[in-house]
Amino acid sequence: MTFTDTRQDFDGAQASNSAVWPVRRQTAWFVEQSATVQAVLLLSLFLILTLVSMAVSRVDGSIATLWIPNATAVALCLFHGRQSHAVVYLPLFLAVATGNTVFGDTPLVAVVLAAINVFQVVMVVRLYRMVLGEARPHSNEIAYVRFLF
């Protein structure tokens, strides 16, 4: 299972390679990679984001106040379509569990926190898709207003 290009505009039509999706050209090389390469790259990205988030904003206990990995995972899931989620969830889980272990949590606590993080991402993506479907929030003004409300 690899990332696929399934972006659609607000009306459900396939998004064109226009100014609406300028990132398309920059991410094409990533989409063309195998699932293993994508997973390794995402694991590296999520691990770096986890460690930075924990180093910058961890308070007493196991909770960081600034958590960038989940936001990045949600954006990737929404940006690249439904078929790509497994490629995001496993690296996120492994990175968060590893990061929590590095910062002193027991393996059990690290695994539970990682599972909760993945669950949060799954729920946000599902709720977004239930409310907005495949529409991207910033494809036009109406879609943006719909995204906000």
Side-chain angles (χ1 to χ4, degrees):
M1 186 170 299
T2 59
F3 277 105
T4 55
D5 191 5
T6 59
R7 292 178 290 239
Q8 296 177 343
D9 64 15
F10 182 72
D11 299 323
Q14 186 68 26
S16 63
N17 190 8
S18 65
V20 175
W21 300 112
V23 179
R24 183 176 191 165
R25 289 181 293 276
Q26 288 82 6
T27 61
W29 69 270
F30 183 78
V31 173
E32 295 168 357
Q33 302 301 317
S34 70
T36 304
V37 172
Q38 289 178 356
V40 169
L41 291 172
L42 288 175
L43 176 61
S44 302
L45 173 68
F46 289 141
L47 185 57
I48 290 168
L49 292 174
T50 298
L51 295 174
V52 167
S53 292
M54 294 178 87
V56 170
S57 67
R58 190 165 181 166
V59 293
D60 293 338
S62 300
I63 305 301
T65 56
L66 174 68
W67 200 247
I68 303 168
N70 283 14
T72 305
V74 168
L76 286 170
C77 287
L78 294 177
F79 189 74
H80 285 289
R82 296 176 188 271
Q83 304 88 307
S84 310
H85 296 184
V87 176
V88 174
Y89 296 150
L90 182 60
L92 177 64
F93 177 84
L94 294 174
V96 172
T98 302
N100 281 311
T101 303
V102 166
F103 274 82
D105 288 332
T106 65
L108 177 61
V109 170
V111 167
V112 169
L113 289 174
I116 290 169
N117 276 278
V118 172
F119 179 74
Q120 288 173 342
V121 171
V122 169
M123 294 309 300
V124 167
V125 170
R126 284 184 166 224
L127 288 171
Y128 178 94
R129 293 255 158 91
M130 282 175 42
V131 173
L132 293 176
E134 293 297 320
R136 300 304 188 260
H138 304 292
S139 61
N140 62 37
E141 292 80 11
I142 295 171
Y144 184 69
V145 171
R146 186 176 176 196
F147 173 72
L148 292 176
F149 301 103

Coordinates of all heavy atoms in Angstrom, one line a residue, residues 51-118:
L51 N 10.8 13.6 18.8 CA 11.9 14.0 19.7 C 11.9 15.5 19.9 O 12.1 16.0 21.0 CB 13.2 13.5 19.1 CG 13.3 11.9 19.1 CD1 14.6 11.5 18.4 CD2 13.2 11.4 20.5
V52 N 11.7 16.3 18.8 CA 11.7 17.7 18.9 C 10.5 18.2 19.8 O 10.7 19.1 20.7 CB 11.7 18.4 17.5 CG1 11.3 19.9 17.6 CG2 13.0 18.2 16.8
S53 N 9.4 17.6 19.5 CA 8.2 18.0 20.3 C 8.4 17.7 21.8 O 8.1 18.6 22.7 CB 6.9 17.3 19.8 OG 6.6 17.7 18.6
M54 N 9.0 16.6 22.1 CA 9.2 16.2 23.5 C 10.3 17.1 24.1 O 10.2 17.4 25.3 CB 9.5 14.7 23.6 CG 8.3 13.9 23.2 SD 8.6 12.2 23.3 CE 8.2 11.9 25.0
A55 N 11.3 17.3 23.4 CA 12.5 18.1 23.9 C 12.0 19.6 24.2 O 12.5 20.2 25.2 CB 13.6 18.1 23.0
V56 N 11.2 20.1 23.3 CA 10.8 21.5 23.5 C 9.7 21.7 24.5 O 9.7 22.7 25.2 CB 10.4 22.0 22.1 CG1 9.8 23.4 22.2 CG2 11.6 22.1 21.1
S57 N 8.7 20.8 24.5 CA 7.5 21.1 25.3 C 7.1 20.1 26.3 O 6.0 20.1 26.8 CB 6.4 21.3 24.3 OG 6.1 20.1 23.7
R58 N 7.9 19.1 26.7 CA 7.5 18.1 27.6 C 7.5 18.7 29.0 O 8.4 19.4 29.5 CB 8.5 16.9 27.6 CG 8.0 15.8 28.4 CD 8.7 14.5 28.1 NE 8.1 13.4 28.9 CZ 8.4 12.2 28.6 NH1 9.2 11.9 27.6 NH2 7.9 11.3 29.3
V59 N 6.4 18.5 29.7 CA 6.2 19.0 31.1 C 6.4 17.8 32.0 O 6.7 16.7 31.5 CB 4.9 19.7 31.3 CG1 4.8 21.0 30.5 CG2 3.7 18.8 30.9
D60 N 6.1 17.9 33.3 CA 6.2 16.8 34.2 C 5.4 15.7 33.7 O 4.2 15.8 33.4 CB 5.8 17.2 35.6 CG 6.8 18.2 36.2 OD1 7.9 18.2 35.8 OD2 6.4 18.9 37.1
G61 N 5.9 14.5 33.7 CA 5.2 13.3 33.3 C 5.5 13.0 31.8 O 6.5 13.4 31.3
S62 N 4.5 12.3 31.2 CA 4.7 11.8 29.8 C 4.1 12.6 28.7 O 4.1 12.2 27.6 CB 4.2 10.4 29.7 OG 4.8 9.5 30.7
I63 N 3.6 13.8 29.0 CA 2.8 14.5 28.0 C 3.6 15.7 27.6 O 4.1 16.5 28.4 CB 1.5 14.9 28.6 CG1 0.7 13.8 29.2 CG2 0.6 15.7 27.6 CD1 0.4 12.7 28.2
A64 N 3.6 15.9 26.2 CA 4.2 17.1 25.7 C 3.1 18.1 25.3 O 2.0 17.7 24.8 CB 5.0 16.8 24.4
T65 N 3.3 19.4 25.5 CA 2.3 20.3 25.2 C 2.2 20.7 23.8 O 1.2 21.2 23.3 CB 2.5 21.6 26.1 OG1 3.8 22.1 25.8 CG2 2.3 21.3 27.5
L66 N 3.2 20.5 23.0 CA 3.3 20.8 21.6 C 3.5 19.5 20.9 O 4.5 18.8 21.1 CB 4.4 21.8 21.3 CG 4.7 22.1 19.8 CD1 3.5 22.8 19.2 CD2 6.0 22.9 19.7
W67 N 2.6 19.0 20.1 CA 2.7 17.7 19.4 C 2.5 17.8 17.9 O 1.4 17.8 17.4 CB 1.6 16.8 20.1 CG 2.0 15.4 19.8 CD1 1.4 14.5 19.1 CD2 3.2 14.7 20.3 NE1 2.0 13.3 19.0 CE2 3.1 13.4 19.8 CE3 4.2 15.1 21.1 CZ2 4.1 12.4 20.1 CZ3 5.2 14.1 21.4 CH2 5.1 12.8 20.9
I68 N 3.6 17.9 17.2 CA 3.6 18.1 15.8 C 3.4 16.8 15.0 O 2.8 16.8 13.9 CB 4.9 18.8 15.4 CG1 5.0 20.1 16.1 CG2 5.0 19.0 13.9 CD1 6.4 20.8 16.0
P69 N 3.8 15.6 15.5 CA 3.7 14.4 14.7 C 2.2 14.1 14.3 O 2.0 13.7 13.1 CB 4.3 13.3 15.6 CG 5.2 14.0 16.5 CD 4.6 15.4 16.7
N70 N 1.3 14.2 15.2 CA -0.1 13.9 14.8 C -0.6 14.9 13.8 O -1.3 14.4 12.9 CB -1.0 14.0 16.1 CG -0.8 12.8 17.0 OD1 0.1 12.0 16.8 ND2 -1.8 12.6 17.9
A71 N -0.3 16.2 13.9 CA -0.8 17.1 12.9 C -0.2 16.8 11.5 O -0.9 16.8 10.5 CB -0.4 18.5 13.3
T72 N 1.0 16.4 11.5 CA 1.7 16.0 10.2 C 1.0 14.7 9.7 O 0.8 14.6 8.5 CB 3.2 15.8 10.5 OG1 3.8 16.9 11.0 CG2 3.9 15.4 9.2
A73 N 0.7 13.8 10.5 CA 0.1 12.5 10.1 C -1.3 12.8 9.5 O -1.7 12.2 8.5 CB 0.0 11.5 11.2
V74 N -2.1 13.7 10.2 CA -3.4 14.0 9.7 C -3.3 14.7 8.3 O -4.0 14.3 7.3 CB -4.1 14.9 10.6 CG1 -5.4 15.5 10.0 CG2 -4.5 14.2 11.9
A75 N -2.4 15.6 8.2 CA -2.2 16.3 6.9 C -1.8 15.3 5.8 O -2.3 15.4 4.7 CB -1.1 17.4 7.0
L76 N -0.9 14.4 6.1 CA -0.5 13.4 5.1 C -1.7 12.5 4.7 O -1.9 12.2 3.5 CB 0.6 12.5 5.6 CG 2.0 13.2 5.6 CD1 3.0 12.4 6.4 CD2 2.5 13.5 4.2
C77 N -2.5 12.0 5.6 CA -3.6 11.2 5.3 C -4.6 11.9 4.5 O -5.2 11.3 3.5 CB -4.3 10.7 6.6 SG -3.3 9.4 7.5
L78 N -4.9 13.2 4.8 CA -5.9 13.9 4.0 C -5.3 14.3 2.7 O -6.1 14.4 1.7 CB -6.3 15.1 4.8 CG -7.1 14.9 6.1 CD1 -7.4 16.2 6.8 CD2 -8.3 14.1 5.8
F79 N -4.1 14.5 2.6 CA -3.5 15.0 1.3 C -3.3 13.9 0.3 O -3.5 14.1 -0.9 CB -2.1 15.6 1.6 CG -1.5 16.3 0.4 CD1 -1.9 17.5 0.0 CD2 -0.4 15.7 -0.3 CE1 -1.4 18.2 -1.0 CE2 0.1 16.4 -1.3 CZ -0.3 17.6 -1.7
H80 N -3.1 12.7 0.7 CA -2.8 11.6 -0.2 C -3.8 10.5 -0.4 O -3.6 9.5 -1.1 CB -1.5 10.9 0.1 CG -0.3 11.8 -0.2 ND1 0.1 12.0 -1.5 CD2 0.5 12.5 0.6 CE1 1.2 12.8 -1.5 NE2 1.4 13.1 -0.2
G81 N -5.0 10.6 0.2 CA -6.1 9.7 -0.1 C -6.1 8.5 0.9 O -5.3 8.2 1.7
R82 N -7.2 7.8 0.7 CA -7.6 6.7 1.7 C -6.6 5.5 1.7 O -6.4 4.8 2.7 CB -9.0 6.2 1.4 CG -10.1 7.3 1.7 CD -11.4 6.7 1.3 NE -12.4 7.8 1.3 CZ -13.1 8.1 2.4 NH1 -12.9 7.5 3.5 NH2 -14.0 9.1 2.4
Q83 N -6.1 5.2 0.5 CA -5.3 4.0 0.4 C -3.9 4.1 1.2 O -3.2 3.2 1.4 CB -4.9 3.7 -1.1 CG -6.1 3.5 -2.0 CD -6.6 4.9 -2.5 OE1 -6.9 5.8 -1.8 NE2 -6.8 4.9 -3.8
S84 N -3.6 5.3 1.6 CA -2.3 5.6 2.1 C -2.2 5.6 3.6 O -1.1 5.7 4.2 CB -1.8 7.0 1.6 OG -2.0 7.2 0.3
H85 N -3.3 5.4 4.3 CA -3.3 5.5 5.7 C -2.4 4.5 6.5 O -1.7 4.9 7.4 CB -4.7 5.4 6.3 CG -5.5 6.5 5.8 ND1 -6.8 6.7 6.2 CD2 -5.3 7.5 4.9 CE1 -7.4 7.7 5.6 NE2 -6.4 8.3 4.8
A86 N -2.3 3.3 6.0 CA -1.5 2.3 6.7 C 0.0 2.7 6.6 O 0.8 2.4 7.6 CB -1.7 0.9 6.1
V87 N 0.4 3.3 5.6 CA 1.8 3.8 5.4 C 2.1 4.9 6.4 O 3.2 5.0 6.8 CB 2.0 4.2 4.0 CG1 3.4 4.8 3.8 CG2 1.8 3.1 3.0
V88 N 1.1 5.6 6.9 CA 1.3 6.6 7.9 C 1.2 6.1 9.3 O 2.0 6.4 10.2 CB 0.3 7.8 7.7 CG1 0.4 8.8 8.8 CG2 0.5 8.4 6.3
Y89 N 0.2 5.3 9.6 CA -0.1 4.8 11.0 C 1.0 4.0 11.6 O 1.4 4.3 12.8 CB -1.4 4.0 11.0 CG -2.6 4.8 10.6 CD1 -3.7 4.2 10.0 CD2 -2.7 6.2 10.8 CE1 -4.8 4.9 9.7 CE2 -3.8 6.9 10.4 CZ -4.9 6.3 9.9 OH -6.0 7.0 9.5
L90 N 1.6 3.1 10.9 CA 2.6 2.2 11.5 C 3.9 3.0 11.8 O 4.4 2.9 13.0 CB 3.0 1.0 10.6 CG 4.0 0.1 11.2 CD1 3.6 -0.5 12.5 CD2 4.3 -1.0 10.2
P91 N 4.4 3.8 10.9 CA 5.6 4.7 11.3 C 5.3 5.6 12.4 O 6.2 5.9 13.3 CB 5.9 5.4 10.0 CG 5.4 4.6 8.9 CD 4.2 3.9 9.5
L92 N 4.1 6.2 12.5 CA 3.7 7.1 13.5 C 3.8 6.3 14.9 O 4.3 6.8 15.9 CB 2.4 7.7 13.3 CG 1.8 8.6 14.4 CD1 2.7 9.9 14.6 CD2 0.4 9.0 14.2
F93 N 3.2 5.2 14.9 CA 3.2 4.4 16.1 C 4.6 4.1 16.6 O 4.9 4.2 17.8 CB 2.4 3.1 15.9 CG 2.4 2.1 17.1 CD1 1.4 2.3 18.1 CD2 3.3 1.1 17.2 CE1 1.4 1.5 19.2 CE2 3.3 0.3 18.3 CZ 2.4 0.5 19.3
L94 N 5.4 3.6 15.7 CA 6.8 3.2 16.0 C 7.6 4.4 16.5 O 8.4 4.3 17.5 CB 7.5 2.5 14.9 CG 6.9 1.2 14.5 CD1 7.6 0.7 13.2 CD2 7.0 0.2 15.6
A95 N 7.4 5.6 15.8 CA 8.2 6.8 16.2 C 7.8 7.3 17.6 O 8.6 7.6 18.4 CB 8.0 7.8 15.1
V96 N 6.5 7.3 17.8 CA 6.0 7.8 19.1 C 6.4 6.9 20.3 O 6.9 7.3 21.3 CB 4.5 8.1 19.1 CG1 3.9 8.4 20.5 CG2 4.1 9.2 18.1
A97 N 6.3 5.6 20.0 CA 6.7 4.6 21.1 C 8.2 4.8 21.3 O 8.7 4.8 22.5 CB 6.4 3.2 20.6
T98 N 9.0 4.9 20.3 CA 10.5 5.0 20.4 C 10.8 6.3 21.1 O 11.6 6.4 22.0 CB 11.1 5.0 19.1 OG1 10.8 3.7 18.4 CG2 12.6 5.1 19.2
G99 N 10.2 7.4 20.7 CA 10.4 8.7 21.3 C 10.1 8.7 22.8 O 10.8 9.3 23.6
N100 N 9.0 8.2 23.2 CA 8.6 8.1 24.6 C 9.6 7.2 25.4 O 9.9 7.6 26.5 CB 7.2 7.6 24.8 CG 6.1 8.7 24.5 OD1 6.2 9.8 25.0 ND2 5.2 8.4 23.7
T101 N 10.0 6.1 24.8 CA 11.0 5.3 25.5 C 12.3 6.0 25.7 O 12.9 6.0 26.7 CB 11.2 4.0 24.7 OG1 10.0 3.3 24.5 CG2 12.2 3.1 25.4
V102 N 12.8 6.8 24.6 CA 14.0 7.5 24.7 C 13.9 8.6 25.9 O 14.9 8.8 26.6 CB 14.3 8.2 23.4 CG1 15.4 9.3 23.5 CG2 14.7 7.2 22.3
F103 N 12.8 9.1 26.1 CA 12.6 10.2 27.1 C 12.2 9.6 28.5 O 11.8 10.3 29.3 CB 11.6 11.2 26.7 CG 12.2 12.3 25.8 CD1 12.4 12.1 24.5 CD2 12.6 13.5 26.4 CE1 13.0 13.1 23.8 CE2 13.2 14.5 25.7 CZ 13.4 14.3 24.4
G104 N 12.4 8.3 28.6 CA 12.3 7.7 30.0 C 11.0 7.0 30.3 O 10.9 6.5 31.5
D105 N 10.1 6.9 29.4 CA 8.9 6.1 29.8 C 9.1 4.6 29.7 O 10.0 4.2 28.9 CB 7.7 6.5 28.8 CG 7.2 7.9 29.1 OD1 7.2 8.3 30.2 OD2 6.7 8.5 28.1
T106 N 8.4 3.9 30.5 CA 8.5 2.4 30.4 C 8.0 2.0 29.0 O 7.1 2.7 28.4 CB 7.7 1.7 31.5 OG1 6.3 2.0 31.3 CG2 8.2 2.2 32.9
P107 N 8.4 0.8 28.5 CA 7.9 0.4 27.2 C 6.4 0.2 27.2 O 5.7 0.6 26.1 CB 8.5 -1.0 27.0 CG 9.8 -0.9 27.8 CD 9.5 0.0 29.0
L108 N 5.7 -0.2 28.2 CA 4.3 -0.3 28.3 C 3.6 1.1 28.1 O 2.7 1.3 27.3 CB 3.8 -1.0 29.6 CG 2.3 -1.1 29.7 CD1 1.7 -1.9 28.6 CD2 1.9 -1.7 31.1
V109 N 4.1 2.1 28.9 CA 3.5 3.4 28.8 C 3.8 4.0 27.4 O 2.9 4.6 26.8 CB 4.1 4.3 29.9 CG1 3.8 5.8 29.6 CG2 3.7 3.9 31.2
A110 N 4.9 3.7 26.8 CA 5.3 4.2 25.5 C 4.4 3.6 24.4 O 3.9 4.4 23.6 CB 6.7 3.9 25.2
V111 N 4.1 2.4 24.5 CA 3.2 1.7 23.6 C 1.8 2.2 23.7 O 1.1 2.5 22.7 CB 3.3 0.2 23.7 CG1 2.1 -0.5 23.0 CG2 4.6 -0.3 23.2
V112 N 1.3 2.4 24.9 CA -0.1 2.9 25.2 C -0.2 4.3 24.6 O -1.2 4.6 23.9 CB -0.4 2.8 26.7 CG1 -1.7 3.6 27.0 CG2 -0.6 1.4 27.1
L113 N 0.8 5.2 24.9 CA 0.7 6.5 24.4 C 0.8 6.6 22.9 O 0.1 7.4 22.2 CB 1.9 7.4 25.0 CG 1.7 7.7 26.4 CD1 3.0 8.4 26.9 CD2 0.5 8.6 26.7
A114 N 1.6 5.7 22.3 CA 1.6 5.6 20.8 C 0.3 5.2 20.2 O -0.2 5.7 19.2 CB 2.8 4.7 20.4
A115 N -0.3 4.2 20.9 CA -1.6 3.7 20.4 C -2.7 4.8 20.5 O -3.5 5.0 19.6 CB -2.1 2.5 21.2
I116 N -2.6 5.6 21.6 CA -3.6 6.7 21.7 C -3.3 7.7 20.6 O -4.3 8.3 20.1 CB -3.4 7.3 23.1 CG1 -4.0 6.3 24.2 CG2 -4.2 8.6 23.2 CD1 -3.7 6.7 25.6
N117 N -2.1 8.0 20.3 CA -1.8 9.0 19.3 C -2.3 8.5 17.9 O -2.9 9.3 17.2 CB -0.3 9.2 19.2 CG 0.2 10.3 20.2 OD1 0.1 11.5 19.9 ND2 0.6 9.8 21.3
V118 N -2.1 7.3 17.6 CA -2.6 6.8 16.3 C -4.1 6.8 16.3 O -4.7 7.2 15.3 CB -2.1 5.4 16.0 CG1 -2.7 4.7 14.8 CG2 -0.6 5.4 15.8

